[in-house]
Amino acid sequence: PFATYHIIWVDLAPLADPELVPLTVAKAVGLTPAPGLDVTAQVIAALQQRQILLILDNCEHVLEPAATFVTSCLPACPHLQVLATSRSPLRLRSEREFPVEPLPLPDVQASVETLLQNDAVRLFAERAEGANAHFTLDVSNVREVAAICRALDGLPLAIELAAARVTVLSPAALLAL
């Protein structure tokens, strides 16, 4: 039987102060830490008996504090699994890296049918449609989307972030940036 994990996603990208990693995780867990007490210890107490998949997203600028936090939590929380996304590893002994390779770059001069089948273009379209229900990938914008994917070197995260901007910018406007 497979264990059922509760998933907690923590976006670390907005952190300007790396020392806020434990507090940011605490808030994502639903904790309001007691003043004067160690925040990491409070998070550990909250997670100790729970089956949690903790996703620490965008760790690259807070590698050391994120690694310290994870190193404190894992031995004390036997049912905790951590997935950290970053351009650099946390450098923990038990860490396993899963590099995400760039997607194949679309040839902007290819046929519309070929462009519509390109993985990078499809990823952009999926994320754009998720962000903006009015967005549709079609013959009027597929070459612009392909050009955006090429400009972003096929990097999945960059494509997803660009696609999220279709709430305020058209693909043509994104391409012009």
Side-chain angles (χ1 to χ4, degrees):
F2 293 100
T4 302
Y5 281 84
H6 180 76
I7 299 171
I8 298 172
W9 176 71
V10 184
D11 184 11
L12 298 175
L15 289 186
D17 181 355
E19 298 308 312
L20 293 177
V21 168
L23 182 60
T24 305
V25 175
K27 288 181 181 180
V29 169
L31 289 176
T32 303
L37 298 177
D38 180 56
V39 176
T40 299
Q42 293 178 66
V43 171
I44 290 170
L47 299 181
Q48 245 173 350
Q49 300 306 317
R50 297 174 61 195
Q51 295 198 79
I52 300 288
L53 171 59
L54 181 64
I55 301 172
L56 301 178
D57 200 11
N58 298 299
C59 294
E60 44 275 334
H61 65 296
V62 292
L63 284 175
E64 189 175 322
T68 299
F69 177 81
V70 170
T71 301
S72 298
C73 291
L74 286 177
C77 301
H79 306 293
L80 176 65
Q81 297 289 318
V82 177
L83 172 65
T85 69
S86 175
R87 286 179 230 134
S88 302
L90 296 180
R91 306 232 183 266
L92 302 178
R93 187 176 349 170
S94 61
E95 182 174 24
R96 285 188 234 146
E97 290 183 58
F98 296 97
V100 178
E101 298 298 324
L103 296 169
L105 295 177
D107 177 358
V108 179
Q109 300 306 317
S111 70
V112 169
E113 294 77 23
T114 299
L115 290 175
L116 290 172
Q117 295 303 313
N118 177 270
D119 288 339
V121 171
R122 289 178 33 203
L123 176 62
F124 184 98
E126 281 179 24
R127 297 307 185 262
E129 289 166 1
N132 179 353
H134 301 292
F135 177 84
T136 302
L137 181 68
D138 57 29
V139 294
S140 70
N141 62 13
V142 70
R143 293 197 189 286
E144 293 162 344
V145 169
I148 291 167
C149 294
R150 284 191 71 79
L152 298 172
D153 298 323
L155 297 172
L157 179 58
I159 292 169
E160 289 191 23
L161 293 173
R165 302 292 297 172
V166 300
T167 58
V168 293
L169 297 170
S170 68
L174 279 170
L175 193 55
L177 292 178

